[in-house]
Amino acid sequence: MDASDLEALARAVAAGELTAHELAERVRLDAVADVGYAQVDVARGLRTGVSEVVYGEGKRPEEIAGIVRAMRASGQERTLVTRLDAEKHRAIEALGCTLAYHAEARAAVAGELPEPDGNGEILIITAGTSDGAVAAEAEVTARFLGNRVRCVRDAGVAGIHRLLRHADEIARAQVIVAIAGMEGALPSVVAGLAACPVIAVPTSVGYGANLGGLTTLLAMVNSCASGVSVVNIDNGFGAAYQASLINHLPGKAS
């Protein structure tokens, strides 16, 4: 159930087609869909504005399909599934659950992507081509959440001129997601050019001393630039979710 579903129920009460008690019962019962192996939070969209997102890794295809169906049965037509490999996606499709698959992002979407309704544009910048999978996850998530998105790939500080070519896009952005492995310097440089929040995403890309992204994470947490916040290693989803919240904030009070 989302806000539009609740409005429809409220109109039914106003028209005398539903009692106030029936409305309260419907909302209470719709809060959780118990499918046995999962307690699906079908009312999350009402509380937070975004429906529950399904983390695909570690779940069996039939479990993912069941959760998507439970959400659809509650009126939630649009669902995002993250960390989903191609083989598992094919198995879900074979179960009759249709998902649009985004291979690089390892993510899938049930239903249509919405029209963008954010205040501005989310700019996603990667330091290197090897950071592309994390950027793809961030892009799919941001579009799923109703944002206009622009991506700049392979613009790391090892060739600073590649980044400076995009100074106009950096200046126009409402919020920036900066994704980098290795030494993790990109977010600090971007934040020195931008007048908006910068969300830093450390990636596990790098040689041994990168320590699976831990070195990059610590570098980003210790950024000397103002306006930088940091999410977990390889967490393109979390960065895009946070960016979307920022992009949908109301403006200053008049």
Side-chain angles (χ1 to χ4, degrees):
M1 180 183 294
D2 59 16
S4 62
D5 298 317
L6 187 59
E7 289 173 2
L9 290 174
R11 285 194 294 270
V13 172
E17 300 166 359
L18 198 70
T19 68
H21 176 73
E22 287 172 332
L23 171 63
E25 281 297 296
R26 184 77 63 86
V27 172
R28 181 182 66 81
L29 292 174
D30 280 348
V32 175
D34 186 351
V35 295
Y37 49 83
Q39 302 287 318
V40 184
D41 185 359
V42 295
R44 186 174 301 183
L46 287 175
R47 298 195 311 274
T48 69
V50 179
S51 62
E52 185 170 16
V53 174
V54 183
Y55 182 74
E57 203 164 65
K59 291 183 177 69
R60 298 192 303 273
E62 56 269 26
E63 291 175 334
I64 296 172
I67 292 169
V68 171
R69 289 187 183 116
M71 296 180 73
R72 186 173 291 144
S74 74
Q76 184 64 53
E77 293 296 328
R78 187 183 301 119
T79 305
L80 174 64
V81 183
T82 65
R83 298 302 166 96
L84 184 69
D85 61 63
E87 182 179 355
K88 193 177 291 185
H89 171 252
R90 287 192 293 269
I92 293 169
E93 292 266 303
L95 293 169
C97 183
T98 302
L99 300 172
Y101 189 59
H102 302 265
E104 186 181 16
R106 296 177 62 213
V109 176
E112 299 294 325
L113 290 176
E115 288 296 318
D117 58 1
N119 297 321
E121 186 173 78
I122 294 175
L123 178 62
I124 299 173
I125 307 175
T126 69
T129 306
S130 298
D131 302 309
V134 178
E137 182 182 69
E139 180 180 1
V140 170
T141 300
R143 294 192 188 280
F144 175 84
L145 296 174
N147 299 277
R148 288 189 290 112
V149 183
R150 185 182 300 271
C151 294
V152 171
R153 302 286 189 109
D154 195 25
V157 299
I160 194 70
H161 58 289
R162 299 176 303 178
L163 179 65
L164 297 179
R165 289 178 61 240
H166 300 280
D168 288 345
E169 293 154 286
I170 291 171
R172 290 196 305 267
Q174 185 83 356
V175 55
I176 297 172
V177 176
I179 303 171
M182 301 291 187
E183 83 288 353
L186 178 65
S188 293
V189 176
V190 170
L193 300 171
C196 65
V198 175
I199 301 172
V201 187
T203 70
S204 52
V205 172
Y207 291 100
N210 174 264
L211 301 177
L214 180 60
T215 299
T216 311
L217 171 66
L218 294 176
M220 291 179 175
V221 168
N222 283 282
S223 173
C224 63
S226 303
V228 175
S229 58
V230 187
V231 298
N232 207 347
I233 298 167
D234 292 335
N235 191 6
F237 164 78
Y241 193 106
Q242 181 74 356
S244 179
L245 291 176
I246 293 170
N247 195 34
H248 284 86
L249 286 172
K252 293 180 180 180
S254 58

